[in-house]
Structure formats: C-alpha cells, structure tokens
Amino acid sequence: MKEICIVTYTRSTEGFTDELDRICKSFYKKYNNRFKIVICCEEYFQIDNKEYLIEFIKMGGTKYRRLISLMEQDDSQYYLSIDNDITGNIDALVKFVDEMITKDYEVGWGRIRAKKQSSFISNMVAVDKLLSHNIIRPLLWHLGVGISIPGQVFCIKGESFRGKIIELDTFLDDLALGLYVNINKSRKYVISNILGEEEPNGKFSGLWKQRSRWAIGYSTILKAVRDKREYRSKVIIHGISYHFSWILNWLIIVLLTAFSWPLAIGYVLLIGIFISKKDMSLLFYSVVYQFFFPIFHIRWGITLIEEMSKGE
C-alpha cells in the first residue's frame, strides 16, 4: 500500500508532462517509496526512466469512471487527482496533502486559477472561475447544499470512497464526488490557497462545446438521482446557482435602469468589483462578463433540456 498516489488522466494524443514530473519529484522527495503515480491512459506511451514508481492503467471513458476503476484495483491510502494540463503550486500541494494525511481528512480541495491569457474568451473564463471558486462554491458549501469540488485538483481518502460513490459514467466527476461528500457528511479540508493553474478555453467554439458536455454530464447525474429527493434537490440547487443566477442579476439591472441609469451602472461596477476582488486586473472583464457570458449558460440550459427530453 502506498500512502499517497497521484492519479492523472491522458487522452491518446497526450503524454507525461514536465509539469507532472516536477510535481511527482516533490512528492517523491517527501514520501519516497510511500509514493507513486498512476496514469489512466487511452494508449500506453513511453516515459524516460524516473526515480519514482509509475504505473499505467489503460482505460478510456470519463475521468470519473477511470477513478472508480483505479480504486477498485488499487489500495493506496490517499489519491491526489490532478488533470494532465495543470500547473501545480507545488509547495502548497505538498503541504495540503501532508495536512490531509496527518489530520485524517476524507476529502480536500483548494482554489484553481486560470492562467493569464490575452484572448477575450480566456479572460471571460478566468472571471467565471473567480466567480465559481471564490463565491458560488464556498457559499453553497457554507449553506450545506454544496455538491461541487474542483475536478482539476482534489484529494480523497481511498477507504472512504472505494466501492461507495455513485456508480455512473459522467463528465462531471466534481459533482458526482461532491454529492457523495455532502450526503455522507465526509470530513473536508478546504483551503483558500491556490493549488494550481489551468489552461482556459481560448476559443468561442471550445467553450461552446464544453458547456454542452457539462450539460450532458449534469443530466446523467440528475437522472441517476431522480428517485432520491434529498439528492435531487441539491443537484437542482447547484444547477440554478451556477447557470441561472445571471437572470437575477439582469433583472436587478433592468429594474435599476428604469429607476436611475447611473445607479444601474454603479451596481454593475460593484458586482464586477465583487467578482474580481481576488484579481483586480480582471475588473473590466468582470463587468463585460455579466452581459456576455450568459450566452454559454443559455447553451447549457438548451442542451440540458434536450438531454432530459430523451429520457432513459
């Protein structure tokens, strides 16, 4: 049994990145032979000899299905799941996992930030991540209805999840795991530190397709819990909070505009400051985001309706 197992996921066109090697070396330095990495791959590929243990599991499908499969055949104590395109904040990651193990937490996560890019769409995604990671997700967990964990980087205790989490194949591993965490009141370790950065979608078409995939993943979870009232209500609250809160924001803007347009402008600016308070360089985009990004939420909603109408 290994104390800590990093697990990452690659498509047929992807390999083992220098960044993952850098992360693994840091964990190997601390945990030595108590550490390994498992690569869940679609096709085997060659890696130059490394000093730490590397294992492959050849399996396609979603990340969630791959993680379930890994835990069925592996007995590691803790799994640190990291997407293949993540740039890790290594000191924070090592300290985070050490705290998880030392204090026997069952699940843990931190903040993920979008890498700074120059394109308009990339900056929209960066603002969306600020809103979701810094405001919506913490608020929902504080209210006891949170079901979302950052799918890009999270850590779970094997024995607390092995053979217990919801059995389904979904693109939204963050919701499927988070729902289990909420319902079972798992012992959480949530930190405000940034654990990593990811490459944001930089093209309209890429973001458009991503939101469609998210809606399909959400529909599979909603269908899976349709007969479980407590589960279903929390899934619905999540969907409304993430994808329909813009409607309330637009309604307030319209009402304020009818009363006093300077007041409406002040409100929009205030919301922009509230969203971007962790990164004021994104203030302009936080203002534009309020009017532009709902396009993708509408796309999500339309795809969800289409998927739900298909039935089982």
Side-chain angles (χ1 to χ4, degrees), residues 4 9 47 74 125 131 216 218 221 230 252 263 283 295 311:
I4 176 67
Y9 320 85
I47 298 180
D74 183 88
V125 174
L131 178 61
I216 293 170
Y218 182 84
I221 295 174
E230 183 183 8
I252 293 174
L263 192 60
L283 177 58
I295 295 172

Side-chain angles (χ1 to χ4, degrees), residues 38-145:
V38 172
I39 302 173
C40 298
C41 60
E42 292 180 345
E43 297 292 340
Y44 293 120
F45 53 87
Q46 187 66 36
I47 298 180
D48 294 336
N49 289 330
K50 306 292 183 182
E51 63 265 34
Y52 47 83
L53 178 61
I54 300 176
E55 295 179 359
F56 286 89
I57 292 181
K58 185 177 178 181
M59 182 180 182
T62 64
K63 181 169 62 176
Y64 184 69
R65 183 63 256 173
R66 292 178 180 187
L67 181 59
I68 290 176
S69 178
L70 170 61
M71 289 194 293
E72 288 173 349
Q73 53 190 295
D74 183 88
D75 63 354
S76 295
Q77 184 179 356
Y78 279 89
Y79 297 93
L80 177 63
S81 177
I82 302 180
D83 282 359
N84 192 55
D85 62 346
I86 286 292
T87 298
N89 181 353
I90 291 182
D91 289 341
L93 273 172
V94 174
K95 184 177 180 180
F96 162 71
V97 172
D98 184 57
E99 193 78 1
M100 285 278 302
I101 295 173
T102 301
K103 296 189 177 179
D104 196 34
Y105 288 106
E106 294 179 295
V107 60
W109 64 84
R111 290 168 52 208
I112 304 298
R113 181 170 60 189
K115 289 182 179 179
K116 290 297 178 70
Q117 305 286 336
S118 58
S119 77
F120 175 78
I121 293 296
S122 295
N123 282 298
M124 288 293 100
V125 174
V127 172
D128 189 59
K129 196 161 293 295
L130 285 176
L131 178 61
S132 63
H133 282 239
N134 298 335
I135 300 172
I136 297 178
R137 177 181 288 134
L139 176 61
L140 292 180
W141 280 106
H142 178 73
L143 294 175
V145 293

Side-chain angles (χ1 to χ4, degrees), residues 15 24-25 37 54 56 59-60 87-88 128 138 143 154 170-171 179 185 211 218 293 296 298 300 303:
C24 288
K25 284 177 178 176
I37 178 170
I54 300 176
F56 286 89
M59 182 180 182
T87 298
D128 189 59
L143 294 175
F154 60 87
T170 177
F171 295 110
L179 183 59
K185 296 180 172 54
R211 301 297 148 149
Y218 182 84
F293 209 83
F296 299 104
I298 292 171
W300 181 92
T303 304

Side-chain angles (χ1 to χ4, degrees), residues 221-286:
I221 295 174
L222 198 54
K223 290 175 182 178
V225 301
R226 62 174 35 164
D227 297 326
K228 300 177 181 179
R229 183 174 180 180
E230 183 183 8
Y231 287 40
R232 187 178 70 249
S233 63
K234 291 177 180 178
V235 174
I236 291 173
I237 289 171
H238 169 87
I240 292 172
S241 301
Y242 271 79
H243 298 288
F244 295 106
S245 57
W246 64 272
I247 296 176
L248 176 61
N249 191 45
W250 274 25
L251 180 60
I252 293 174
I253 292 171
V254 169
L255 291 175
L256 289 177
T257 301
F259 179 73
S260 169
W261 65 262
L263 192 60
I265 293 174
Y267 169 79
V268 170
L269 182 60
L270 187 63
I271 293 297
I273 292 172
F274 181 62
I275 295 173
S276 60
K277 61 183 178 180
K278 296 286 186 179
D279 189 350
M280 292 304 291
S281 66
L282 291 172
L283 177 58
F284 168 76
Y285 294 101
S286 295

Side-chain angles (χ1 to χ4, degrees), residues 8-49:
T8 192
Y9 320 85
T10 61
R11 300 183 182 92
S12 58
T13 57
E14 296 174 328
F16 191 71
T17 66
D18 291 338
E19 179 59 26
L20 280 172
D21 180 44
R22 192 169 67 94
I23 293 171
C24 288
K25 284 177 178 176
S26 297
F27 275 93
Y28 179 72
K29 182 178 179 181
K30 180 173 181 61
Y31 293 98
N32 202 268
N33 292 327
R34 295 175 293 149
F35 163 79
K36 71 176 179 180
I37 178 170
V38 172
I39 302 173
C40 298
C41 60
E42 292 180 345
E43 297 292 340
Y44 293 120
F45 53 87
Q46 187 66 36
I47 298 180
D48 294 336
N49 289 330

